[in-house]
Structure formats: C-alpha cells, structure tokens
Amino acid sequence: EAIIALNEVLDEGIELHPLEEQKISVDKYRQIGLGVMGIADMLLKLNLKYGSDESINVCDFIAKNMLNEAVKQSALLAKEKGAFKEYKEEDIFKSPFFINNVNEDIKELVKKYGLRNSQLLTIPPTGSISTMLGISGGIEPIFNLSYIRKTESLHDEDVYYKVYTPIVKEYMSINNISEEEDLPDIFVSAMTLNYKERIKMQQIWQKYIDASISSTINIPYETTVEDVYEIYLNAWKAGLKGLTIFRDGCKRS
C-alpha cells in the first residue's frame, strides 16, 4: 500500500517541480523512498536492547521483508503501467544488491514485468513527524530518557521542569517506576549508547536499503579527536555509505 501511495504522490508532483530538468529526471527514474521510524520504540516494546544481537536479528527480518514486498509491488505496478523509462534488465540482474537480497519468486516477477521504480527504499531522519507523533526517529535510538524544559511565559519567573521521552514515561507509568535510575538496562539512549552498537544497527539496515540512511551518532563533550577517528574508521570498515557525528557542547550549539 505504501509503494502504491508513493507512486501516486510522485505522479501528482511531477508537474509541480520548478525546473524542467527535475520533471524529466523524475519521469525517467521514478525514485521513491519507503522507510521506517519508531524502531527504537519498537525494540523497547519487544523488551530488546538497541544494538543487541536479538535487536539486530529483528531488524534484519523486518528490513528484508520490507525490501522484498517493495520490489514485488513495484514489479506489479510495472505490469500495469510499464517499467520506468531507463529500466535495463541486465543492469538490475547484475546488481549484487538485487542478487543477494531479493527472493527468487520476486526475481521472477521482475524478469517478467520489470520495475516501476529505479529506487525504492531510504531511511530519512523523520525529525518533524516523529516528534509530532512522540516516537523515535528513523532507526535512531531514543535521544535521551528525559530532558529539562523551561517556560518563561506562564509564570512571573523562569520555571524549569523535567520531561520524560514518551516511551519512557509510558513504561514508568505501567510499571509504577518513579525514578529513571530504576529502569531496566534495555533503556539506552543516543547519549549513552556505544558507537559500535550504532554502527551495527546501521550496517544491518543498509544491507537492504537501496538509497541512503540518515544516522547521527551523538557523542559526549569529552570525546577526543582520536575517538572521532575510531568512529569513522569503524564505520568505513563496516562498509557504511555515510555517517554523521554530533559532539555535545560543540561550537555549533
């Protein structure tokens, strides 16, 4: 359903692009980007720690199924409306990504009908919509268990109050926990998670995503230049396409 919807949005938007080159490119390649958000919340609800072997296995299962369903639907749309204009069967069937990740029965559908889209999956940061829905963004861990908010307009003076991340607040309420220190160790955040877990998580999703993944590793203020070097080196060794880091208290903030 999501693939059908994204194709309808693409068709609706073709004429709205400001440049002729954009209209031509979209029409030729029909790139769409099905993705995910709320993964960290899902893992918590499954009682799994982000970055653990069990969490990686669950994400591997989800990502592989998402890819195969997306390719299948794109092939069925190609049957109905034709393949994208630049479609070349020999290139698709030579692609290691396609060879290694797409199931044989779905490869047969692609061989028969082609593909409606040259690109199907991506994982954007989903910052605005995940905040609006009160869930974790993309494949990122929850940012923090809690944070301090300040209000200036409701009182005659600045008032500070503690706000819990929605999934944390929900868990604490259900289990009658009053202090975040009493939460089980499945509750890790971007500020406490080891960067190696972050890289492992991105690596498993990238295996099945044919475009890009938004991923920022939050690192503490004390992080050294050597630490940053190690993060990028490990990301490169894991074969990641890209990675961003944000150091707490850096010049930007």
Side-chain angles (χ1 to χ4, degrees):
E1 288 180 359
I3 293 297
I4 292 168
L6 286 167
N7 273 281
E8 289 179 356
V9 169
L10 184 145
D11 289 331
E12 191 73 22
I14 282 181
E15 289 307 314
L16 302 176
H17 289 286
L19 301 177
E20 196 59 34
E21 291 95 325
Q22 290 170 309
K23 295 176 189 176
I24 292 166
S25 178
V26 171
D27 186 49
K28 269 186 183 178
Y29 297 102
R30 300 190 62 84
Q31 293 170 302
I32 59 173
L34 179 66
V36 292
M37 65 179 175
I39 292 298
D41 285 23
M42 176 202 73
L43 292 172
L44 286 169
K45 291 195 172 195
L46 291 171
N47 204 37
L48 296 175
K49 187 176 182 180
Y50 186 105
S52 66
D53 289 343
E54 295 93 336
S55 74
I56 298 296
N57 290 338
V58 166
C59 290
D60 182 271
F61 178 81
I62 292 170
K64 182 167 187 181
N65 277 282
M66 185 168 76
L67 169 65
N68 276 276
E69 288 299 313
V71 172
K72 177 183 178 181
Q73 188 59 59
S74 188
L76 293 173
L77 283 171
K79 175 189 177 184
E80 185 186 337
K81 299 180 177 181
F84 68 92
K85 288 179 179 176
E86 294 293 311
Y87 176 76
K88 294 180 179 64
E89 183 187 292
E90 62 275 19
D91 290 344
I92 298 288
F93 279 84
K94 275 193 287 187
S95 159
F97 177 83
F98 185 81
I99 293 165
N100 296 332
N101 299 318
V102 177
N103 297 338
E104 291 306 317
D105 57 330
I106 295 173
K107 283 178 183 169
E108 287 304 310
L109 277 178
V110 176
K111 195 153 194 70
K112 197 169 181 182
Y113 304 121
L115 285 168
R116 185 69 175 150
N117 311 95
S118 67
Q119 174 190 303
L120 288 161
L121 305 179
T122 190
I123 299 180
T126 69
S128 301
I129 52 175
S130 61
T131 302
M132 182 175 72
L133 294 170
I135 60 173
S136 57
I139 59 167
E140 306 276 25
I142 58 175
F143 182 69
N144 235 334
L145 301 181
S146 64
Y147 47 96
I148 303 298
R149 274 265 166 89
K150 179 179 81 164
T151 178
E152 298 172 356
S153 57
L154 297 178
H155 309 275
D156 293 331
E157 58 184 358
D158 290 352
V159 175
Y160 296 85
Y161 52 100
K162 192 170 190 174
V163 178
Y164 286 101
T165 296
I167 188 79
V168 176
K169 185 180 179 183
E170 183 185 347
Y171 188 94
M172 290 173 75
S173 174
I174 290 168
N175 294 282
N176 295 314
I177 295 172
S178 57
E179 300 295 330
E180 63 185 72
E181 291 75 21
D182 297 326
L183 288 165
D185 67 358
I186 58 167
F187 279 89
V188 291
S189 71
M191 305 308 286
T192 61
L193 201 59
N194 185 298
Y195 73 84
K196 289 178 181 173
E197 264 77 52
R198 294 293 308 275
I199 289 172
K200 260 170 39 182
M201 183 62 78
Q202 187 176 336
Q203 186 180 23
I204 202 66
W205 281 96
Q206 186 179 288
K207 183 178 173 185
Y208 303 108
I209 301 293
D210 58 352
S212 58
I213 294 175
S214 174
S215 180
T216 300
I217 293 184
N218 295 87
I219 52 178
Y221 179 77
E222 298 75 24
T223 306
T224 65
V225 171
E226 290 73 27
D227 292 333
V228 173
Y229 173 80
E230 283 301 315
I231 291 171
Y232 279 116
L233 189 64
N234 275 274
W236 174 72
K237 284 178 180 175
L240 300 194
K241 291 181 183 178
L243 193 71
T244 307
I245 60 161
F246 188 84
R247 176 171 161 265
D248 190 37
C250 72
K251 188 174 180 181
R252 181 172 155 194
S253 62

